[in-house]
Amino acid sequence: MSAVSVRSFNRTLLLACTPFLGMLIWMIVENVRIELPENAFPRHATVPSDPSATTASVLDHLNEAEGIAKWTGKSIQKQLSIYKKTNADMNKIASIASTQAARPYQIYDRRITNKLGKPAATIQSDKLQAQLFYLGTQNFRSYALKIKLKQDDAMKLVLGNDVQGGSETTLAAVNRYKAAVGVNAGGFADSRGKRYPLSTTVVDGDYIGGFQASIKDLFFVGLNEDNQLIGGKFSSKSQLDALNPKYGASFVPVLLQNGRKTEIPSKWQTSPKRAPRTVIANYKDDQILFLVVDGYNEKGSSGATLAEMQILLQRYGALDGYNLDGGGSTSLVFNGRVINNPSDGQLRKLPTNFLFFK
């Protein structure tokens, strides 16, 4: 752009701004003020507050909340009271139901106990109830032992000194194991100075010397894992295993099955005719009954016959009955004391004994 053009542009610009510059100079000289109206900048409206009104409102809310809390508390207390009453009623009903359910067993137990007579001694604990009776039989002195097992570890069958071929008296076994009651168990056979259990014997679920099938008049009798008496003749191990035997021994013969007498083989009717006896049986409620009879010797002139033992079993309401080893082996220990009169003049050392714990 040339110098002439620049001068011409500046002159034009000056002429355009002259009116504005003149007006500005006039306003300064005349002290002209520009004021904006009051509503040019709008303000938020404020309402003066009343502290007493605010406090009253808060108190109203607090009172309302307190009323709700009281109502809720009363409701909870009422529900809790209903729950406690309902729970107490349910416990009462359960107790009554339990008592009613137990009544048939109590009536049954009273019935069989009355047949035996009045207990001469009783051992009562969490594990068992053992009752000793002196029976009023005419031809021989006899005893009954009724046992109710309450726990799995309330009884066991033990080997003499806990070894195969060992032997000890029932009293020695009772003392060694600190048992409350002891009764002789199965038969035995002597060999080379040792005394071995006869046929199938089970201790803690193990077969001592293996399983032996029942032959002739031999039977197995013992208890299963539910403390129920099991017994009879078994031709195979699987047949006995099906009953879950925990303890048991063998002897001859079976005396009672389902409350009925079994036929006694002629051999055992006279060999010997009379003798000290030990019999094990059960009741319908799974209580165990032992019958023990004294005799002066094993010559057949004293003691009881097996037929008489059958009569006693039926008289006392037994279900199944099995003849255990008798004669000089018959032993009954109750609360640390020998109850019967051993025909040998002293207790015989045996390979197996039933023990019961309180």
Side-chain angles (χ1 to χ4, degrees):
M1 182 180 290
S2 65
V4 177
S5 298
V6 171
R7 286 195 297 271
S8 177
F9 175 76
N10 289 339
R11 188 181 298 112
T12 302
L13 183 61
L14 181 60
L15 289 173
C17 293
T18 297
F20 296 102
L21 290 173
M23 186 179 292
L24 180 62
I25 293 169
W26 176 76
M27 290 175 66
I28 293 172
V29 174
E30 294 295 329
N31 194 22
V32 178
R33 293 183 299 177
I34 300 174
E35 294 182 1
L36 295 174
E38 290 184 0
N39 60 354
F41 299 98
R43 298 176 182 177
H44 293 288
T46 58
V47 179
S49 59
D50 184 355
S52 62
T54 302
T55 302
S57 177
V58 172
L59 288 175
D60 288 342
H61 287 297
L62 289 175
N63 289 333
E64 183 180 354
E66 184 181 6
I68 294 173
K70 287 182 178 179
W71 179 86
T72 304
K74 290 180 179 179
S75 178
I76 292 174
Q77 289 296 327
K78 183 177 181 181
Q79 294 298 323
L80 183 60
S81 177
I82 293 173
Y83 168 77
K84 288 181 177 179
K85 186 177 184 304
T86 303
N87 194 42
D89 289 342
M90 292 301 294
N91 288 336
K92 185 176 181 180
I93 291 172
S95 177
I96 293 172
S98 177
T99 302
Q100 292 297 328
R103 285 191 66 185
Y105 294 97
Q106 294 170 351
I107 294 171
Y108 178 73
D109 181 64
R110 192 182 306 120
R111 184 182 304 155
I112 59 177
T113 302
N114 288 340
K115 290 180 179 180
L116 292 166
K118 184 178 180 180
T122 299
I123 297 174
Q124 186 75 257
S125 72
D126 293 338
K127 289 188 176 183
L128 58 69
Q129 174 185 276
Q131 295 174 298
L132 175 67
F133 301 84
Y134 291 92
L135 303 177
T137 47
Q138 295 180 352
N139 300 324
F140 43 81
R141 179 177 295 178
S142 59
Y143 321 86
L145 174 67
K146 184 166 72 69
I147 297 180
K148 180 180 181 180
L149 300 174
K150 301 177 184 179
Q151 295 184 15
D152 294 340
D153 58 349
M155 73 81 58
K156 62 172 56 182
L157 180 135
V158 299
L159 297 175
N161 295 313
D162 295 328
V163 295
Q164 171 76 318
S167 62
E168 63 184 333
T169 67
T170 305
L171 181 61
V174 165
N175 292 335
R176 188 163 60 86
Y177 273 91
K178 295 179 172 57
V181 178
V183 183
N184 67 289
F188 61 86
D190 291 331
S191 177
R192 298 180 180 181
K194 293 187 177 182
R195 186 156 284 180
Y196 294 94
L198 184 67
S199 192
T200 301
T201 304
V202 176
V203 176
D204 286 323
D206 295 328
Y207 289 83
I208 306 302
F211 172 82
Q212 297 181 40
S214 299
I215 57 173
K216 296 183 178 180
D217 304 321
L218 275 173
F219 64 80
F220 172 87
V221 64
L223 275 76
N224 64 11
E225 294 177 354
D226 296 321
N227 285 337
Q228 297 172 326
L229 190 72
I230 56 174
K233 298 181 179 180
F234 301 91
S235 59
S236 66
K237 183 175 178 294
S238 60
Q239 186 182 11
L240 180 54
D241 283 342
L243 299 180
N244 298 315
K246 191 174 182 180
Y247 299 106
S250 297
F251 202 58
V252 294
V254 177
L255 297 178
L256 212 66
Q257 285 186 323
N258 199 25
R260 297 181 179 181
K261 298 177 184 178
T262 59
E263 183 178 353
I264 300 173
S266 57
K267 177 181 179 180
W268 306 116
Q269 293 180 22
T270 58
S271 181
K273 181 177 182 180
R274 294 187 173 275
R277 305 285 185 185
T278 303
V279 170
I280 186 172
N282 65 336
Y283 286 109
K284 293 179 181 179
D285 62 353
D286 292 326
Q287 290 192 76
I288 299 171
L289 173 67
F290 285 98
L291 296 181
V292 175
V293 173
D294 280 340
Y296 302 117
N297 54 51
E298 298 181 43
K299 297 179 180 179
S301 59
S302 64
T305 67
L306 290 178
E308 288 171 333
M309 299 306 294
Q310 287 178 316
I311 294 172
L312 291 180
L313 287 172
Q314 285 188 324
R315 177 185 298 171
Y316 299 132
L319 190 63
D320 301 308
Y322 304 87
N323 183 52
L324 297 176
D325 194 9
S329 297
T330 290
S331 308
L332 173 59
V333 178
F334 189 91
N335 220 6
R337 185 168 65 92
V338 179
I339 302 301
N340 69 307
N341 295 309
S343 62
D344 288 351
Q346 60 184 1
L347 291 176
R348 179 181 291 177
K349 291 185 177 181
L350 305 171
T352 56
N353 286 290
F354 287 113
L355 300 182
F356 300 88
F357 303 87
K358 62 181 177 182

